[in-house]
Amino acid sequence: AQKITQTQPGMFVQEKEAVTLDCTYDTSDQSYGLFWYKQPSSGEMIFLIYQGSYDEQNATEGRYSLNFQKARKSANLVISASQLGDSAMYFCAMREGSQAYSTLTFGKGTMLLVSP
Amino acid sequence: DAGITQSPRHKVTETGTPVTLRCHQTENHRYMYWYRQDPGHGLRLIHYSYGVKDTDKGEVSDGYSVSRSKTEDFLLTLESATSSQTSVYFCAISVGGGNTEAFFGQGTRLTVV
């Protein structure tokens, strides 16, 4: 079974609108972390936001927020007031356990296109 | 800039030849990772290291080996390159721990012909 599922291969949104990118995860660990990365067409991987499994509040970083629903095992990324520069591939990732050496597992990504 | 340099950035090689990709960090982070990125697969872990001379396999380790003789360098070797190893390779580093993000290098685009 996939540990990280991103069901939207592509999403379109108009500038200034909000958009939600879906991510569901599968783990039996009680301690885990969820991450979102952005990959623009230039190719670099940019860390956006982190949510810990024990965090009671949804994480926010500027225009990015993470809608964390633990019981549903979902960690959706919400981008408010989209900008043209938000056009990119977005990856959801999970780190299971609290061990220092635990590694990131990635979803297959969602391509977001923002139109004027 | 997380102080990670990958070299080379681009390489074309022939099937059957050995290839070594280098990841160099200036952050003195303990943990280093090699991922490959392919369309429709996201990023998949090849190998990782949790210290000098300490490495372990990831999800897609077949056909790859790694070495880490110094904290700052993590080498990925394709002993005998195959066309299925055509991919973009990313190195990443982290300080370790469940709540810490990984910082990525710029990637190496490898084409095996």
Side-chain angles (χ1 to χ4, degrees):
Chain A
Q2 286 187 15
K3 288 185 177 288
I4 296 288
T5 302
Q6 295 181 252
T7 57
Q8 306 154 314
M11 288 285 285
F12 294 89
V13 67
Q14 279 202 310
E15 208 176 359
K16 300 188 178 68
E17 292 185 349
V19 62
T20 297
L21 306 183
D22 293 342
C23 173
T24 58
Y25 59 91
D26 182 26
T27 181
S28 57
D29 282 338
Q30 295 300 308
S31 176
Y32 52 90
L34 297 155
F35 302 78
W36 278 92
Y37 283 83
K38 172 184 178 181
Q39 186 180 43
S41 58
S42 53
E44 71 266 34
M45 294 287 290
I46 303 168
F47 166 71
L48 294 178
I49 196 167
Y50 162 80
Q51 179 85 41
S53 58
Y54 294 118
D55 294 341
E56 294 185 352
Q57 303 282 340
N58 284 343
T60 61
E61 289 287 347
R63 295 185 298 109
Y64 304 107
S65 61
L66 201 153
N67 184 0
F68 182 46
Q69 298 188 45
K70 196 170 182 176
R72 298 180 63 182
K73 294 190 174 181
S74 74
N76 298 339
L77 177 71
V78 181
I79 306 175
S80 63
S82 298
Q83 302 172 356
L84 296 178
D86 294 334
S87 293
M89 181 73 86
Y90 289 80
F91 291 99
C92 179
M94 176 173 63
R95 193 193 294 276
E96 295 177 272
S98 57
Q99 302 93 332
Y101 56 82
S102 58
T103 60
L104 282 173
T105 301
F106 285 82
K108 296 182 179 182
T110 295
M111 175 66 76
L112 176 67
L113 290 177
V114 181
S115 60
Chain B
D1 185 358
I4 310 170
T5 304
Q6 290 186 231
S7 58
R9 293 292 313 281
H10 302 271
K11 186 170 182 66
V12 180
T13 192
E14 292 187 348
T15 299
T17 60
V19 176
T20 296
L21 309 183
R22 180 182 183 234
C23 178
H24 177 78
Q25 60 148 330
T26 58
E27 305 297 316
N28 205 35
H29 286 343
R30 180 176 175 184
Y31 301 91
M32 299 185 75
Y33 313 85
W34 277 107
Y35 286 88
R36 62 177 287 176
Q37 182 178 19
D38 304 288
H41 289 278
L43 280 82
R44 294 179 292 174
L45 182 67
I46 305 172
H47 281 279
Y48 64 100
S49 169
Y50 45 95
V52 174
K53 292 189 168 58
D54 292 323
T55 65
D56 206 347
K57 296 179 180 180
E59 178 189 356
V60 290
S61 60
D62 286 349
Y64 301 95
S65 62
V66 290
S67 66
R68 192 166 177 201
S69 58
K70 300 185 288 185
T71 299
E72 58 265 36
D73 289 326
F74 192 32
L75 303 181
L76 177 71
T77 297
L78 292 66
E79 300 290 346
S80 177
T82 68
S83 58
S84 65
Q85 294 176 311
T86 292
S87 186
V88 178
Y89 291 85
F90 283 97
C91 173
I93 64 174
S94 79
V95 299
N99 63 344
T100 57
E101 70 272 29
F103 297 97
F104 284 80
Q106 294 290 86
T108 294
R109 184 173 294 277
L110 177 68
T111 303
V112 183
V113 296

